[in-house]
Amino acid sequence: MNNKISSAVQPQRSRRLFLLLAAALLLLAVWAGARAYIRYSYRTAYSEYVYQYADEYDLAPSLLFAVIRTESSFRPESVSSVGARGLTQITEETLDWINYRSGENPVSFDQLYDPKTAIRCGAYLLRLLYDEFSDTG
């Protein structure tokens, strides 16, 4: 009789082990797929410039990556329906304001197609806006 119970328990254990292994493999596949999706959706292209200007203007790099992804999908040649250009989608009027406020050598509107220039101008603009609208008090 003890043999019958033992032989009935064995298939249940094998089945549980199989289901546990299948669940673990499924979780691993979902995790790997999620990581690939995040890497694709939230690319870190131009990271050298993003980290450089995030540091220079005291911004979170993730903020700059989010702006670039939202505004241009990491395409430096992007032009919006209102004429905003580059990775950070800056209009000519906004660029004039950036040039005025920075006091540095002015950037031409065509230079916004250059990733480094667009990221620098976008980071500078975000810093200006943050400083202007942050609650300091």
Side-chain angles (χ1 to χ4, degrees):
M1 186 136 198
N2 205 7
N3 243 355
K4 287 183 181 181
I5 293 174
S6 176
S7 63
V9 171
Q10 188 65 14
Q12 287 180 345
R13 283 185 181 163
S14 296
R15 185 174 185 196
R16 284 184 188 155
L17 183 59
F18 173 77
L19 290 175
L20 184 60
L21 183 58
L25 287 173
L26 180 62
L27 286 174
L28 182 62
V30 167
W31 178 77
R35 284 182 49 97
Y37 172 78
I38 289 169
R39 261 195 319 262
Y40 175 77
S41 298
Y42 298 94
R43 290 179 274 178
T44 55
Y46 312 108
S47 60
E48 177 186 350
Y49 304 137
V50 169
Y51 287 109
Q52 175 185 345
Y53 292 114
D55 184 53
E56 185 173 328
Y57 295 113
D58 194 27
L59 300 167
S62 57
L63 175 63
L64 280 176
F65 282 122
V67 167
I68 293 167
R69 180 178 185 269
T70 301
E71 294 298 328
S72 67
S73 298
F74 294 91
R75 293 186 325 254
E77 73 284 354
S78 292
V79 178
S80 76
S81 61
V82 296
R85 292 183 177 177
L87 291 172
T88 52
Q89 291 293 281
I90 296 174
T91 63
E92 194 164 13
E93 183 178 85
T94 301
L95 181 63
D96 290 342
W97 185 64
I98 291 169
N99 284 331
Y100 170 76
R101 291 292 303 263
S102 73
E104 297 176 8
N105 290 334
V107 171
S108 75
F109 195 49
D110 285 337
Q111 287 177 293
L112 289 176
Y113 291 121
D114 172 60
K116 184 176 182 179
T117 302
I119 293 168
R120 180 173 58 83
C121 290
Y124 183 78
L125 176 62
L126 287 171
R127 180 79 258 161
L128 287 175
L129 294 172
Y130 182 81
D131 289 345
E132 185 171 332
F133 294 104
S134 66
D135 184 9
T136 58

